[in-house]
Amino acid sequence: MNERVEILGVKVDAVTMTQAVESVEKLIVAKKNSLIATANAEMLLMSTHDGELKTILNAAALVVPDGAGTVWAAHHLGYDMPERVAGFDLVQELMKISPSKGYKFFLFGSAPGIADKAKAKAEELYPGIKIVGTRNGYFTADDEPEIIAQIKTSTPDVLLAALGVPKQEKWLYAHKQELGVPVSIGVGGTFDVMAGVVKRAPLWMQRAKLEWLYRAMLQPSRAGRLIALPKFVWKVINS
């Protein structure tokens, strides 16, 4: 059992990438419709004024520390948090081992065509990977029964949902039992990066914990979201 660290009322697993992958594999085998969340500072801050999101995160089977802010907060509060486990990297690690394990993926979300490009990239990077379906993230409530049926029929082991926070977590949680997928993960902008629409920060910036700054520079529309970082720091310091 992983140690869990409480940050702003949300329990985050203090895991390494290796431990996170092992945990996901156990959940795939258990087939218990498990939800995995990737908690960065923005998500944790959002949960302080979104009770539904906080409840969902605390009910998740695994909450990985996705972001330097989450790791910093744990250390500031006196807990051991070994490393950042970025959602994008977790997905790549799972995809990397999947050809030998036979794990099947379904890619749901992002703009039309993006999930298909991400699928093509995954098939190029990880020969033998089984991606059993894709569906874009543009839909209405009327489309949901069809989407759920499509996912169920394809019987994936892992459902990756790129609908943005908190929509992806709320959607996966609301339909968890209907979907019957062993593991569901909210993956934010993962498909966009895989499809080449959005670039990741250079490795030196990732190591310097400056990926958030790179993304803001690359996408000025995200700049407003940077305000969440000082708010998060302030809340942690005063918690």
Side-chain angles (χ1 to χ4, degrees):
M1 189 73 176
N2 302 323
E3 183 189 351
R4 301 198 109 178
V5 169
E6 188 168 316
I7 303 171
L8 300 183
V10 174
K11 294 179 178 65
V12 182
D13 289 88
V15 288
T16 62
M17 178 63 77
T18 300
Q19 290 169 329
V21 170
E22 288 172 354
S23 295
V24 175
E25 290 201 87
K26 286 176 184 174
L27 294 170
I28 290 172
V29 172
K31 296 185 185 296
K32 289 185 179 176
N33 307 346
S34 300
L35 177 64
I36 294 173
T38 59
N40 60 14
E42 189 179 2
M43 183 188 285
L44 293 171
L45 182 66
M46 199 179 291
S47 73
T48 63
H49 52 81
D50 186 333
E52 183 186 356
L53 176 61
K54 181 178 284 188
T55 297
I56 290 168
L57 294 179
N58 283 326
L62 181 69
V63 181
V64 299
D66 180 355
T70 306
V71 175
W72 166 83
H75 292 167
H76 178 80
L77 295 169
Y79 299 111
D80 179 40
M81 182 71 77
E83 65 184 29
R84 175 192 180 202
V85 179
F88 177 88
D89 296 329
L90 176 60
V91 169
Q92 302 312 303
E93 291 298 320
L94 292 170
M95 286 184 165
K96 192 184 298 179
I97 62 172
S98 70
S100 62
K101 302 293 182 83
Y103 301 148
K104 297 179 291 181
F105 294 82
F106 191 103
L107 277 49
F108 171 41
S110 293
I114 298 296
D116 293 324
K117 287 182 180 177
K119 174 179 182 284
K121 186 64 177 177
E123 289 168 345
E124 176 193 325
L125 291 173
Y126 314 113
I129 191 171
K130 296 177 183 175
I131 297 180
V132 293
T134 62
R135 173 58 161 84
N136 69 63
Y138 286 59
F139 61 93
T140 66
D142 291 340
D143 300 320
E144 289 186 355
E146 181 191 342
I147 294 169
I148 291 166
Q150 183 187 355
I151 294 168
K152 282 181 72 171
T153 303
S154 63
T155 63
D157 297 296
V158 181
L159 169 60
L160 304 177
L163 304 174
V165 180
K167 184 177 180 180
Q168 59 197 20
E169 286 75 24
K170 292 182 179 182
W171 195 90
L172 290 173
Y173 187 76
H175 301 292
K176 192 168 67 162
Q177 298 308 318
E178 289 173 86
L179 290 164
V181 178
V183 169
S184 298
I185 313 175
V187 296
T190 291
F191 301 165
D192 294 320
V193 176
M194 290 186 71
V197 176
V198 174
K199 290 182 180 178
R200 274 200 95 181
L203 199 55
W204 72 266
M205 289 191 84
Q206 293 180 43
R207 286 174 175 160
K209 302 176 182 177
L210 293 171
E211 190 163 13
W212 57 272
L213 179 59
Y214 178 83
R215 291 170 75 186
M217 289 161 54
L218 210 62
Q219 296 173 277
S221 60
R222 294 177 62 95
R225 296 165 71 175
L226 295 184
I227 298 168
L229 290 169
K231 283 184 179 177
F232 174 75
V233 170
W234 185 88
K235 274 194 176 285
V236 170
I237 289 171
N238 289 280
S239 63

PDB file of all heavy atoms in Angstrom, residues 146-183:
ATOM      1  N   GLU A 146     -23.894   6.618 -26.678  1.00  0.00           N
ATOM      2  CA  GLU A 146     -23.148   6.053 -27.815  1.00  0.00           C
ATOM      3  C   GLU A 146     -21.658   5.936 -27.480  1.00  0.00           C
ATOM      4  O   GLU A 146     -21.017   4.933 -27.803  1.00  0.00           O
ATOM      5  CB  GLU A 146     -23.339   6.949 -29.046  1.00  0.00           C
ATOM      6  CG  GLU A 146     -22.626   6.452 -30.293  1.00  0.00           C
ATOM      7  CD  GLU A 146     -22.617   7.483 -31.411  1.00  0.00           C
ATOM      8  OE1 GLU A 146     -23.431   8.423 -31.376  1.00  0.00           O
ATOM      9  OE2 GLU A 146     -21.756   7.352 -32.298  1.00  0.00           O
ATOM     10  N   ILE A 147     -21.114   6.971 -26.816  1.00  0.00           N
ATOM     11  CA  ILE A 147     -19.688   6.950 -26.439  1.00  0.00           C
ATOM     12  C   ILE A 147     -19.415   5.832 -25.445  1.00  0.00           C
ATOM     13  O   ILE A 147     -18.448   5.071 -25.586  1.00  0.00           O
ATOM     14  CB  ILE A 147     -19.266   8.316 -25.844  1.00  0.00           C
ATOM     15  CG1 ILE A 147     -19.348   9.408 -26.913  1.00  0.00           C
ATOM     16  CG2 ILE A 147     -17.852   8.246 -25.267  1.00  0.00           C
ATOM     17  CD1 ILE A 147     -19.210  10.820 -26.374  1.00  0.00           C
ATOM     18  N   ILE A 148     -20.276   5.717 -24.452  1.00  0.00           N
ATOM     19  CA  ILE A 148     -20.117   4.671 -23.432  1.00  0.00           C
ATOM     20  C   ILE A 148     -20.196   3.287 -24.074  1.00  0.00           C
ATOM     21  O   ILE A 148     -19.389   2.400 -23.774  1.00  0.00           O
ATOM     22  CB  ILE A 148     -21.177   4.835 -22.318  1.00  0.00           C
ATOM     23  CG1 ILE A 148     -20.873   6.107 -21.507  1.00  0.00           C
ATOM     24  CG2 ILE A 148     -21.203   3.616 -21.395  1.00  0.00           C
ATOM     25  CD1 ILE A 148     -21.998   6.567 -20.613  1.00  0.00           C
ATOM     26  N   ALA A 149     -21.141   3.120 -25.001  1.00  0.00           N
ATOM     27  CA  ALA A 149     -21.283   1.835 -25.694  1.00  0.00           C
ATOM     28  C   ALA A 149     -20.043   1.518 -26.523  1.00  0.00           C
ATOM     29  O   ALA A 149     -19.572   0.367 -26.552  1.00  0.00           O
ATOM     30  CB  ALA A 149     -22.524   1.861 -26.590  1.00  0.00           C
ATOM     31  N   GLN A 150     -19.479   2.545 -27.187  1.00  0.00           N
ATOM     32  CA  GLN A 150     -18.281   2.357 -28.009  1.00  0.00           C
ATOM     33  C   GLN A 150     -17.105   1.898 -27.148  1.00  0.00           C
ATOM     34  O   GLN A 150     -16.367   0.985 -27.519  1.00  0.00           O
ATOM     35  CB  GLN A 150     -17.919   3.658 -28.732  1.00  0.00           C
ATOM     36  CG  GLN A 150     -16.715   3.527 -29.667  1.00  0.00           C
ATOM     37  CD  GLN A 150     -16.270   4.869 -30.245  1.00  0.00           C
ATOM     38  OE1 GLN A 150     -16.897   5.895 -30.040  1.00  0.00           O
ATOM     39  NE2 GLN A 150     -15.151   4.854 -30.968  1.00  0.00           N
ATOM     40  N   ILE A 151     -16.958   2.539 -25.982  1.00  0.00           N
ATOM     41  CA  ILE A 151     -15.858   2.184 -25.083  1.00  0.00           C
ATOM     42  C   ILE A 151     -16.049   0.772 -24.527  1.00  0.00           C
ATOM     43  O   ILE A 151     -15.128  -0.053 -24.541  1.00  0.00           O
ATOM     44  CB  ILE A 151     -15.727   3.215 -23.937  1.00  0.00           C
ATOM     45  CG1 ILE A 151     -15.312   4.582 -24.501  1.00  0.00           C
ATOM     46  CG2 ILE A 151     -14.709   2.731 -22.893  1.00  0.00           C
ATOM     47  CD1 ILE A 151     -15.420   5.737 -23.518  1.00  0.00           C
ATOM     48  N   LYS A 152     -17.262   0.474 -24.080  1.00  0.00           N
ATOM     49  CA  LYS A 152     -17.542  -0.853 -23.510  1.00  0.00           C
ATOM     50  C   LYS A 152     -17.305  -1.969 -24.523  1.00  0.00           C
ATOM     51  O   LYS A 152     -16.714  -2.997 -24.211  1.00  0.00           O
ATOM     52  CB  LYS A 152     -18.997  -0.913 -23.026  1.00  0.00           C
ATOM     53  CG  LYS A 152     -19.245  -0.232 -21.700  1.00  0.00           C
ATOM     54  CD  LYS A 152     -20.691  -0.348 -21.270  1.00  0.00           C
ATOM     55  CE  LYS A 152     -21.034  -1.753 -20.824  1.00  0.00           C
ATOM     56  NZ  LYS A 152     -22.392  -1.810 -20.208  1.00  0.00           N
ATOM     57  N   THR A 153     -17.776  -1.744 -25.743  1.00  0.00           N
ATOM     58  CA  THR A 153     -17.658  -2.768 -26.790  1.00  0.00           C
ATOM     59  C   THR A 153     -16.200  -3.070 -27.131  1.00  0.00           C
ATOM     60  O   THR A 153     -15.851  -4.201 -27.453  1.00  0.00           O
ATOM     61  CB  THR A 153     -18.396  -2.305 -28.068  1.00  0.00           C
ATOM     62  OG1 THR A 153     -19.756  -2.028 -27.739  1.00  0.00           O
ATOM     63  CG2 THR A 153     -18.369  -3.380 -29.140  1.00  0.00           C
ATOM     64  N   SER A 154     -15.349  -2.049 -27.029  1.00  0.00           N
ATOM     65  CA  SER A 154     -13.933  -2.238 -27.388  1.00  0.00           C
ATOM     66  C   SER A 154     -13.122  -2.889 -26.261  1.00  0.00           C
ATOM     67  O   SER A 154     -11.962  -3.244 -26.463  1.00  0.00           O
ATOM     68  CB  SER A 154     -13.305  -0.909 -27.798  1.00  0.00           C
ATOM     69  OG  SER A 154     -13.326  -0.003 -26.719  1.00  0.00           O
ATOM     70  N   THR A 155     -13.708  -3.018 -25.093  1.00  0.00           N
ATOM     71  CA  THR A 155     -13.105  -3.669 -23.906  1.00  0.00           C
ATOM     72  C   THR A 155     -11.633  -3.303 -23.651  1.00  0.00           C
ATOM     73  O   THR A 155     -10.757  -4.162 -23.618  1.00  0.00           O
ATOM     74  CB  THR A 155     -13.226  -5.215 -23.970  1.00  0.00           C
ATOM     75  OG1 THR A 155     -12.487  -5.701 -25.105  1.00  0.00           O
ATOM     76  CG2 THR A 155     -14.668  -5.649 -24.063  1.00  0.00           C
ATOM     77  N   PRO A 156     -11.351  -2.017 -23.442  1.00  0.00           N
ATOM     78  CA  PRO A 156      -9.961  -1.643 -23.119  1.00  0.00           C
ATOM     79  C   PRO A 156      -9.617  -2.000 -21.679  1.00  0.00           C
ATOM     80  O   PRO A 156     -10.499  -2.165 -20.834  1.00  0.00           O
ATOM     81  CB  PRO A 156      -9.970  -0.119 -23.303  1.00  0.00           C
ATOM     82  CG  PRO A 156     -11.378   0.279 -22.963  1.00  0.00           C
ATOM     83  CD  PRO A 156     -12.253  -0.852 -23.447  1.00  0.00           C
ATOM     84  N   ASP A 157      -8.329  -2.113 -21.418  1.00  0.00           N
ATOM     85  CA  ASP A 157      -7.849  -2.261 -20.037  1.00  0.00           C
ATOM     86  C   ASP A 157      -7.630  -0.888 -19.416  1.00  0.00           C
ATOM     87  O   ASP A 157      -7.758  -0.719 -18.203  1.00  0.00           O
ATOM     88  CB  ASP A 157      -6.524  -3.033 -20.016  1.00  0.00           C
ATOM     89  CG  ASP A 157      -6.678  -4.445 -20.547  1.00  0.00           C
ATOM     90  OD1 ASP A 157      -7.409  -5.224 -19.923  1.00  0.00           O
ATOM     91  OD2 ASP A 157      -6.094  -4.739 -21.607  1.00  0.00           O
ATOM     92  N   VAL A 158      -7.270   0.080 -20.283  1.00  0.00           N
ATOM     93  CA  VAL A 158      -6.977   1.439 -19.818  1.00  0.00           C
ATOM     94  C   VAL A 158      -7.707   2.438 -20.706  1.00  0.00           C
ATOM     95  O   VAL A 158      -7.550   2.444 -21.928  1.00  0.00           O
ATOM     96  CB  VAL A 158      -5.454   1.737 -19.869  1.00  0.00           C
ATOM     97  CG1 VAL A 158      -5.179   3.149 -19.356  1.00  0.00           C
ATOM     98  CG2 VAL A 158      -4.672   0.712 -19.055  1.00  0.00           C
ATOM     99  N   LEU A 159      -8.517   3.282 -20.083  1.00  0.00           N
ATOM    100  CA  LEU A 159      -9.215   4.373 -20.782  1.00  0.00           C
ATOM    101  C   LEU A 159      -8.506   5.675 -20.439  1.00  0.00           C
ATOM    102  O   LEU A 159      -8.403   6.052 -19.268  1.00  0.00           O
ATOM    103  CB  LEU A 159     -10.677   4.437 -20.332  1.00  0.00           C
ATOM    104  CG  LEU A 159     -11.495   5.661 -20.753  1.00  0.00           C
ATOM    105  CD1 LEU A 159     -11.561   5.799 -22.273  1.00  0.00           C
ATOM    106  CD2 LEU A 159     -12.904   5.594 -20.151  1.00  0.00           C
ATOM    107  N   LEU A 160      -7.988   6.341 -21.464  1.00  0.00           N
ATOM    108  CA  LEU A 160      -7.332   7.632 -21.273  1.00  0.00           C
ATOM    109  C   LEU A 160      -8.306   8.722 -21.718  1.00  0.00           C
ATOM    110  O   LEU A 160      -8.735   8.728 -22.877  1.00  0.00           O
ATOM    111  CB  LEU A 160      -6.043   7.702 -22.106  1.00  0.00           C
ATOM    112  CG  LEU A 160      -5.013   6.594 -21.856  1.00  0.00           C
ATOM    113  CD1 LEU A 160      -3.833   6.752 -22.805  1.00  0.00           C
ATOM    114  CD2 LEU A 160      -4.541   6.615 -20.401  1.00  0.00           C
ATOM    115  N   ALA A 161      -8.638   9.630 -20.810  1.00  0.00           N
ATOM    116  CA  ALA A 161      -9.605  10.687 -21.117  1.00  0.00           C
ATOM    117  C   ALA A 161      -8.938  12.052 -21.057  1.00  0.00           C
ATOM    118  O   ALA A 161      -8.426  12.462 -20.011  1.00  0.00           O
ATOM    119  CB  ALA A 161     -10.774  10.641 -20.137  1.00  0.00           C
ATOM    120  N   ALA A 162      -8.941  12.747 -22.191  1.00  0.00           N
ATOM    121  CA  ALA A 162      -8.322  14.076 -22.287  1.00  0.00           C
ATOM    122  C   ALA A 162      -9.424  15.108 -22.502  1.00  0.00           C
ATOM    123  O   ALA A 162      -9.644  15.591 -23.608  1.00  0.00           O
ATOM    124  CB  ALA A 162      -7.323  14.107 -23.439  1.00  0.00           C
ATOM    125  N   LEU A 163     -10.123  15.420 -21.418  1.00  0.00           N
ATOM    126  CA  LEU A 163     -11.247  16.360 -21.481  1.00  0.00           C
ATOM    127  C   LEU A 163     -10.970  17.629 -20.680  1.00  0.00           C
ATOM    128  O   LEU A 163     -11.827  18.506 -20.610  1.00  0.00           O
ATOM    129  CB  LEU A 163     -12.528  15.692 -20.947  1.00  0.00           C
ATOM    130  CG  LEU A 163     -12.966  14.388 -21.615  1.00  0.00           C
ATOM    131  CD1 LEU A 163     -14.153  13.789 -20.870  1.00  0.00           C
ATOM    132  CD2 LEU A 163     -13.309  14.619 -23.076  1.00  0.00           C
ATOM    133  N   GLY A 164      -9.795  17.708 -20.060  1.00  0.00           N
ATOM    134  CA  GLY A 164      -9.480  18.853 -19.204  1.00  0.00           C
ATOM    135  C   GLY A 164      -9.996  18.643 -17.791  1.00  0.00           C
ATOM    136  O   GLY A 164     -10.947  17.891 -17.560  1.00  0.00           O
ATOM    137  N   VAL A 165      -9.348  19.316 -16.852  1.00  0.00           N
ATOM    138  CA  VAL A 165      -9.723  19.246 -15.431  1.00  0.00           C
ATOM    139  C   VAL A 165     -10.758  20.328 -15.146  1.00  0.00           C
ATOM    140  O   VAL A 165     -10.591  21.458 -15.596  1.00  0.00           O
ATOM    141  CB  VAL A 165      -8.476  19.478 -14.542  1.00  0.00           C
ATOM    142  CG1 VAL A 165      -8.832  19.411 -13.066  1.00  0.00           C
ATOM    143  CG2 VAL A 165      -7.377  18.463 -14.878  1.00  0.00           C
ATOM    144  N   PRO A 166     -11.845  20.053 -14.414  1.00  0.00           N
ATOM    145  CA  PRO A 166     -12.189  18.789 -13.760  1.00  0.00           C
ATOM    146  C   PRO A 166     -13.153  17.919 -14.574  1.00  0.00           C
ATOM    147  O   PRO A 166     -13.626  16.906 -14.081  1.00  0.00           O
ATOM    148  CB  PRO A 166     -12.880  19.277 -12.486  1.00  0.00           C
ATOM    149  CG  PRO A 166     -13.630  20.503 -12.945  1.00  0.00           C
ATOM    150  CD  PRO A 166     -12.735  21.153 -13.995  1.00  0.00           C
ATOM    151  N   LYS A 167     -13.454  18.333 -15.813  1.00  0.00           N
ATOM    152  CA  LYS A 167     -14.451  17.596 -16.605  1.00  0.00           C
ATOM    153  C   LYS A 167     -14.096  16.125 -16.746  1.00  0.00           C
ATOM    154  O   LYS A 167     -14.957  15.249 -16.599  1.00  0.00           O
ATOM    155  CB  LYS A 167     -14.601  18.233 -17.993  1.00  0.00           C
ATOM    156  CG  LYS A 167     -15.686  17.576 -18.837  1.00  0.00           C
ATOM    157  CD  LYS A 167     -15.845  18.279 -20.185  1.00  0.00           C
ATOM    158  CE  LYS A 167     -16.940  17.624 -21.020  1.00  0.00           C
ATOM    159  NZ  LYS A 167     -17.098  18.296 -22.337  1.00  0.00           N
ATOM    160  N   GLN A 168     -12.810  15.832 -17.036  1.00  0.00           N
ATOM    161  CA  GLN A 168     -12.431  14.438 -17.266  1.00  0.00           C
ATOM    162  C   GLN A 168     -12.608  13.585 -16.011  1.00  0.00           C
ATOM    163  O   GLN A 168     -13.119  12.457 -16.069  1.00  0.00           O
ATOM    164  CB  GLN A 168     -11.000  14.342 -17.792  1.00  0.00           C
ATOM    165  CG  GLN A 168      -9.950  14.932 -16.869  1.00  0.00           C
ATOM    166  CD  GLN A 168      -8.618  15.204 -17.549  1.00  0.00           C
ATOM    167  OE1 GLN A 168      -8.530  15.311 -18.765  1.00  0.00           O
ATOM    168  NE2 GLN A 168      -7.561  15.332 -16.745  1.00  0.00           N
ATOM    169  N   GLU A 169     -12.221  14.122 -14.856  1.00  0.00           N
ATOM    170  CA  GLU A 169     -12.366  13.369 -13.603  1.00  0.00           C
ATOM    171  C   GLU A 169     -13.845  13.150 -13.269  1.00  0.00           C
ATOM    172  O   GLU A 169     -14.236  12.053 -12.856  1.00  0.00           O
ATOM    173  CB  GLU A 169     -11.664  14.106 -12.452  1.00  0.00           C
ATOM    174  CG  GLU A 169     -10.153  14.036 -12.482  1.00  0.00           C
ATOM    175  CD  GLU A 169      -9.514  14.929 -13.548  1.00  0.00           C
ATOM    176  OE1 GLU A 169     -10.169  15.926 -13.959  1.00  0.00           O
ATOM    177  OE2 GLU A 169      -8.394  14.635 -13.984  1.00  0.00           O
ATOM    178  N   LYS A 170     -14.654  14.175 -13.452  1.00  0.00           N
ATOM    179  CA  LYS A 170     -16.086  14.059 -13.136  1.00  0.00           C
ATOM    180  C   LYS A 170     -16.789  13.102 -14.085  1.00  0.00           C
ATOM    181  O   LYS A 170     -17.643  12.317 -13.679  1.00  0.00           O
ATOM    182  CB  LYS A 170     -16.739  15.448 -13.165  1.00  0.00           C
ATOM    183  CG  LYS A 170     -16.257  16.344 -12.031  1.00  0.00           C
ATOM    184  CD  LYS A 170     -16.945  17.700 -12.032  1.00  0.00           C
ATOM    185  CE  LYS A 170     -16.450  18.549 -10.864  1.00  0.00           C
ATOM    186  NZ  LYS A 170     -17.123  19.862 -10.790  1.00  0.00           N
ATOM    187  N   TRP A 171     -16.411  13.144 -15.370  1.00  0.00           N
ATOM    188  CA  TRP A 171     -17.046  12.262 -16.351  1.00  0.00           C
ATOM    189  C   TRP A 171     -16.676  10.806 -16.079  1.00  0.00           C
ATOM    190  O   TRP A 171     -17.538   9.924 -16.078  1.00  0.00           O
ATOM    191  CB  TRP A 171     -16.632  12.666 -17.772  1.00  0.00           C
ATOM    192  CG  TRP A 171     -17.512  12.057 -18.826  1.00  0.00           C
ATOM    193  CD1 TRP A 171     -18.659  12.584 -19.343  1.00  0.00           C
ATOM    194  CD2 TRP A 171     -17.328  10.784 -19.476  1.00  0.00           C
ATOM    195  NE1 TRP A 171     -19.196  11.730 -20.286  1.00  0.00           N
ATOM    196  CE2 TRP A 171     -18.405  10.623 -20.380  1.00  0.00           C
ATOM    197  CE3 TRP A 171     -16.360   9.793 -19.394  1.00  0.00           C
ATOM    198  CZ2 TRP A 171     -18.552   9.490 -21.189  1.00  0.00           C
ATOM    199  CZ3 TRP A 171     -16.504   8.653 -20.191  1.00  0.00           C
ATOM    200  CH2 TRP A 171     -17.576   8.517 -21.073  1.00  0.00           C
ATOM    201  N   LEU A 172     -15.410  10.557 -15.842  1.00  0.00           N
ATOM    202  CA  LEU A 172     -14.959   9.187 -15.584  1.00  0.00           C
ATOM    203  C   LEU A 172     -15.592   8.628 -14.312  1.00  0.00           C
ATOM    204  O   LEU A 172     -16.001   7.465 -14.276  1.00  0.00           O
ATOM    205  CB  LEU A 172     -13.428   9.146 -15.466  1.00  0.00           C
ATOM    206  CG  LEU A 172     -12.644   9.390 -16.755  1.00  0.00           C
ATOM    207  CD1 LEU A 172     -11.149   9.501 -16.453  1.00  0.00           C
ATOM    208  CD2 LEU A 172     -12.905   8.294 -17.788  1.00  0.00           C
ATOM    209  N   TYR A 173     -15.689   9.466 -13.292  1.00  0.00           N
ATOM    210  CA  TYR A 173     -16.261   9.024 -12.018  1.00  0.00           C
ATOM    211  C   TYR A 173     -17.755   8.736 -12.162  1.00  0.00           C
ATOM    212  O   TYR A 173     -18.254   7.718 -11.678  1.00  0.00           O
ATOM    213  CB  TYR A 173     -16.029  10.085 -10.947  1.00  0.00           C
ATOM    214  CG  TYR A 173     -16.433   9.658  -9.555  1.00  0.00           C
ATOM    215  CD1 TYR A 173     -15.630   8.779  -8.823  1.00  0.00           C
ATOM    216  CD2 TYR A 173     -17.607  10.124  -8.973  1.00  0.00           C
ATOM    217  CE1 TYR A 173     -15.993   8.381  -7.541  1.00  0.00           C
ATOM    218  CE2 TYR A 173     -17.979   9.735  -7.693  1.00  0.00           C
ATOM    219  CZ  TYR A 173     -17.165   8.862  -6.981  1.00  0.00           C
ATOM    220  OH  TYR A 173     -17.531   8.459  -5.719  1.00  0.00           O
ATOM    221  N   ALA A 174     -18.456   9.613 -12.879  1.00  0.00           N
ATOM    222  CA  ALA A 174     -19.910   9.470 -13.051  1.00  0.00           C
ATOM    223  C   ALA A 174     -20.263   8.199 -13.818  1.00  0.00           C
ATOM    224  O   ALA A 174     -21.305   7.576 -13.566  1.00  0.00           O
ATOM    225  CB  ALA A 174     -20.476  10.692 -13.768  1.00  0.00           C
ATOM    226  N   HIS A 175     -19.406   7.805 -14.761  1.00  0.00           N
ATOM    227  CA  HIS A 175     -19.733   6.673 -15.637  1.00  0.00           C
ATOM    228  C   HIS A 175     -18.871   5.435 -15.363  1.00  0.00           C
ATOM    229  O   HIS A 175     -18.857   4.497 -16.166  1.00  0.00           O
ATOM    230  CB  HIS A 175     -19.578   7.093 -17.104  1.00  0.00           C
ATOM    231  CG  HIS A 175     -20.457   8.240 -17.485  1.00  0.00           C
ATOM    232  ND1 HIS A 175     -21.834   8.132 -17.542  1.00  0.00           N
ATOM    233  CD2 HIS A 175     -20.177   9.532 -17.790  1.00  0.00           C
ATOM    234  CE1 HIS A 175     -22.359   9.294 -17.886  1.00  0.00           C
ATOM    235  NE2 HIS A 175     -21.373  10.162 -18.039  1.00  0.00           N
ATOM    236  N   LYS A 176     -18.184   5.453 -14.224  1.00  0.00           N
ATOM    237  CA  LYS A 176     -17.225   4.389 -13.893  1.00  0.00           C
ATOM    238  C   LYS A 176     -17.837   2.987 -13.974  1.00  0.00           C
ATOM    239  O   LYS A 176     -17.281   2.085 -14.603  1.00  0.00           O
ATOM    240  CB  LYS A 176     -16.657   4.650 -12.490  1.00  0.00           C
ATOM    241  CG  LYS A 176     -15.450   3.809 -12.137  1.00  0.00           C
ATOM    242  CD  LYS A 176     -14.771   4.327 -10.878  1.00  0.00           C
ATOM    243  CE  LYS A 176     -15.637   4.141  -9.647  1.00  0.00           C
ATOM    244  NZ  LYS A 176     -14.842   4.227  -8.398  1.00  0.00           N
ATOM    245  N   GLN A 177     -18.984   2.824 -13.361  1.00  0.00           N
ATOM    246  CA  GLN A 177     -19.611   1.492 -13.327  1.00  0.00           C
ATOM    247  C   GLN A 177     -20.141   1.086 -14.693  1.00  0.00           C
ATOM    248  O   GLN A 177     -20.008  -0.071 -15.108  1.00  0.00           O
ATOM    249  CB  GLN A 177     -20.744   1.473 -12.285  1.00  0.00           C
ATOM    250  CG  GLN A 177     -20.297   1.743 -10.858  1.00  0.00           C
ATOM    251  CD  GLN A 177     -19.145   0.846 -10.412  1.00  0.00           C
ATOM    252  OE1 GLN A 177     -19.105  -0.348 -10.688  1.00  0.00           O
ATOM    253  NE2 GLN A 177     -18.178   1.428  -9.697  1.00  0.00           N
ATOM    254  N   GLU A 178     -20.749   2.033 -15.414  1.00  0.00           N
ATOM    255  CA  GLU A 178     -21.274   1.741 -16.757  1.00  0.00           C
ATOM    256  C   GLU A 178     -20.157   1.329 -17.705  1.00  0.00           C
ATOM    257  O   GLU A 178     -20.324   0.415 -18.522  1.00  0.00           O
ATOM    258  CB  GLU A 178     -21.928   2.993 -17.356  1.00  0.00           C
ATOM    259  CG  GLU A 178     -23.229   3.438 -16.758  1.00  0.00           C
ATOM    260  CD  GLU A 178     -23.619   4.781 -17.369  1.00  0.00           C
ATOM    261  OE1 GLU A 178     -24.246   4.778 -18.443  1.00  0.00           O
ATOM    262  OE2 GLU A 178     -23.264   5.827 -16.789  1.00  0.00           O
ATOM    263  N   LEU A 179     -19.040   2.032 -17.634  1.00  0.00           N
ATOM    264  CA  LEU A 179     -17.935   1.790 -18.560  1.00  0.00           C
ATOM    265  C   LEU A 179     -17.297   0.421 -18.343  1.00  0.00           C
ATOM    266  O   LEU A 179     -16.922  -0.257 -19.289  1.00  0.00           O
ATOM    267  CB  LEU A 179     -16.867   2.890 -18.406  1.00  0.00           C
ATOM    268  CG  LEU A 179     -17.266   4.273 -18.915  1.00  0.00           C
ATOM    269  CD1 LEU A 179     -16.321   5.337 -18.368  1.00  0.00           C
ATOM    270  CD2 LEU A 179     -17.263   4.307 -20.442  1.00  0.00           C
ATOM    271  N   GLY A 180     -17.164   0.034 -17.084  1.00  0.00           N
ATOM    272  CA  GLY A 180     -16.587  -1.270 -16.777  1.00  0.00           C
ATOM    273  C   GLY A 180     -15.151  -1.440 -17.242  1.00  0.00           C
ATOM    274  O   GLY A 180     -14.731  -2.538 -17.606  1.00  0.00           O
ATOM    275  N   VAL A 181     -14.375  -0.341 -17.225  1.00  0.00           N
ATOM    276  CA  VAL A 181     -12.972  -0.393 -17.641  1.00  0.00           C
ATOM    277  C   VAL A 181     -12.095  -0.550 -16.393  1.00  0.00           C
ATOM    278  O   VAL A 181     -12.279   0.195 -15.428  1.00  0.00           O
ATOM    279  CB  VAL A 181     -12.576   0.892 -18.412  1.00  0.00           C
ATOM    280  CG1 VAL A 181     -11.103   0.853 -18.793  1.00  0.00           C
ATOM    281  CG2 VAL A 181     -13.440   1.055 -19.660  1.00  0.00           C
ATOM    282  N   PRO A 182     -11.142  -1.482 -16.386  1.00  0.00           N
ATOM    283  CA  PRO A 182     -10.317  -1.688 -15.194  1.00  0.00           C
ATOM    284  C   PRO A 182      -9.647  -0.414 -14.679  1.00  0.00           C
ATOM    285  O   PRO A 182      -9.662  -0.134 -13.483  1.00  0.00           O
ATOM    286  CB  PRO A 182      -9.271  -2.709 -15.660  1.00  0.00           C
ATOM    287  CG  PRO A 182      -9.988  -3.498 -16.713  1.00  0.00           C
ATOM    288  CD  PRO A 182     -10.861  -2.496 -17.426  1.00  0.00           C
ATOM    289  N   VAL A 183      -9.065   0.392 -15.590  1.00  0.00           N
ATOM    290  CA  VAL A 183      -8.361   1.605 -15.174  1.00  0.00           C
ATOM    291  C   VAL A 183      -8.720   2.766 -16.097  1.00  0.00           C
ATOM    292  O   VAL A 183      -8.636   2.650 -17.319  1.00  0.00           O
ATOM    293  CB  VAL A 183      -6.824   1.399 -15.205  1.00  0.00           C
ATOM    294  CG1 VAL A 183      -6.089   2.726 -15.029  1.00  0.00           C
ATOM    295  CG2 VAL A 183      -6.389   0.412 -14.131  1.00  0.00           C
TER     296      VAL A 183
END
